[in-house]
């Protein structure tokens, strides 16, 4: 299981260009600029966001409400929500340092819920499409592949029976550590299809059984090592006749109101002030792109110096998640939810 330091180990400062390479870089940059401009003209929006529904998520226009059920069993926390007339089941596995509580907003029914911006949107999208959602917390910081698999298999089975969902197709989505976990779990439970996010899966150290579910990889190709491993695993699955697909997520520029648009409880004034600090400190370049991962740049210190955020301390992880998402190296993302659920829905029979 990659630890956070391994994950971020791939982030290295760019080496200065050798002079002879410079003209090539300039030529390439011009070409890219022409292509990007053309794409913007054709599509009417930046290419890095093509396929992305809408960055403004606070106005999630639907009647979907968070109404989670919470239970502690077999040594861990379970949170779930079953919509009216569910048509499928979705099991969610968080990444290292994650927890089931990150997927639902804090509410009287779930006072410890955190509602991280990407996690909560995945659940809202799922509920809107009438998926019954179950999230389980890992026993330790990250998922493990021994006894914990037995535990979760037992929990999923118990939960499906309790809610009388046996007849519905079951799907699973896991990010990072949760992606390895879901890839391994799928060899032992019948899922109709799965999504592995920002992870290559456990395929090099497991037997891929007959009837392994169709597998969608959602990843961030800025992490080139992982992109290459995903490419290899997709080929291995393909050779076994298993349908595979990949969706790549690219960086996008921060906008002054991005944080208030995507984080409930963070107002526009604060979002704009944070954006100004990021610009002054050059955490973002002149086009608004993050210069590094949110876990690497000292944005928290900078914000603290300005006495911003002291009262909103509980939103630090929410902000960092959005910064990581914009940098697009390694983060949970809800931006391609439509594609993910279309993948699930197209493999249900
Ligand atoms: C989970 O807990 C239930 C009830 O306490 C128990 O019967 C079951 O054996 C446990 N499952 C595992 C895999 O430990």
């Amino acid at each position: 299981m990659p630890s956070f330091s391994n994950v971020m180990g791939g982030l290295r400062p760019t080496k200065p260009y050798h002079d002879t390479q410079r003209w090539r870089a300039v030529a390439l940059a011009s070409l890219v600029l022409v292509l990007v401009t053309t794409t913007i003209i054709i599509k009417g929006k930046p290419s890095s966001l093509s396929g992305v529904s809408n960055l403004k998520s606070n106005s999630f226009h639907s009647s979907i409400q968070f109404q989670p059920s919470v239970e502690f069993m077999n040594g861990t926390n379970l949170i779930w929500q079953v919509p009216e007339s569910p048509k499928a089941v979705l099991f969610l596995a968080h990444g290292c340092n994650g927890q089931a509580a990150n997927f639902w907003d804090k509410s009287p029914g779930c006072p410890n819920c955190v509602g991280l911006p990407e996690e909560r949107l995945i659940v809202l999208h799922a509920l809107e499409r009438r998926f019954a959602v179950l999230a389980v917390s890992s026993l330790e910081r990250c998922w493990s592949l021994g006894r914990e698999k037995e535990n979760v298999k037992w929990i999923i089975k118990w939960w499906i029976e309790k809610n009388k969902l046996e007849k519905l197709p079951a799907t699973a989505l896991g990010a990072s550590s949760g992606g390895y976990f879901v890839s391994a779990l799928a060899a032992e439970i019948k899922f109709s299809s799965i999504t592995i996010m920002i992870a290559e899966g456990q395929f090099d150290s497991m037997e891929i059984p007959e009837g392994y579910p169709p597998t969608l990889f959602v990843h961030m190709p800025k992490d080139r090592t992982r992109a290459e491993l995903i490419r290899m695993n997709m080929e291995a699955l393909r050779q076994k006749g298993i349908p595979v697909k990949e969706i790549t997520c690219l960086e996008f520029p921060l906008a002054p109101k991005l944080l208030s648009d995507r984080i409930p409880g963070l107002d526009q004034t604060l979002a704009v002030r944070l954006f100004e600090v990021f610009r002054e400190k050059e955490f973002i370049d002149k086009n608004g792109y993050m210069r590094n991962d949110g876990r690497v740049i000292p944005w928290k210190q900078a914000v603290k110096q300005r006495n911003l955020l002291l009262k909103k301390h509980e939103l630090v992880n929410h902000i960092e998640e959005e910064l990581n998402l914009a940098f697009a190296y390694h983060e949970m993302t809800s931006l391609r939810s439509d594609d993910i659920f279309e993948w699930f829905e197209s493999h249900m029979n």
Side-chain angles (χ1 to χ4, degrees), residues 58-71:
N58 269 351
S59 54
F60 197 87
H61 59 275
S62 75
S63 51
I64 305 301
Q65 303 262 324
F66 283 120
Q67 271 165 349
S69 303
V70 182
E71 184 137 344

Side-chain angles (χ1 to χ4, degrees), residues 73-75 147 150-155 158:
M73 72 183 301
N74 298 81
R147 195 174 58 83
E150 299 310 312
N151 212 27
V152 171
K153 272 157 64 180
W154 194 93
I155 290 170
W158 170 86

Side-chain angles (χ1 to χ4, degrees), residues 259 266 270-278 303 308-309 319:
L259 294 174
L266 197 153
L270 180 57
V272 171
R273 287 174 77 188
L274 290 169
F275 181 80
E276 279 162 6
V277 175
F278 297 157
V303 157
L308 293 172
L309 259 193
I319 295 169

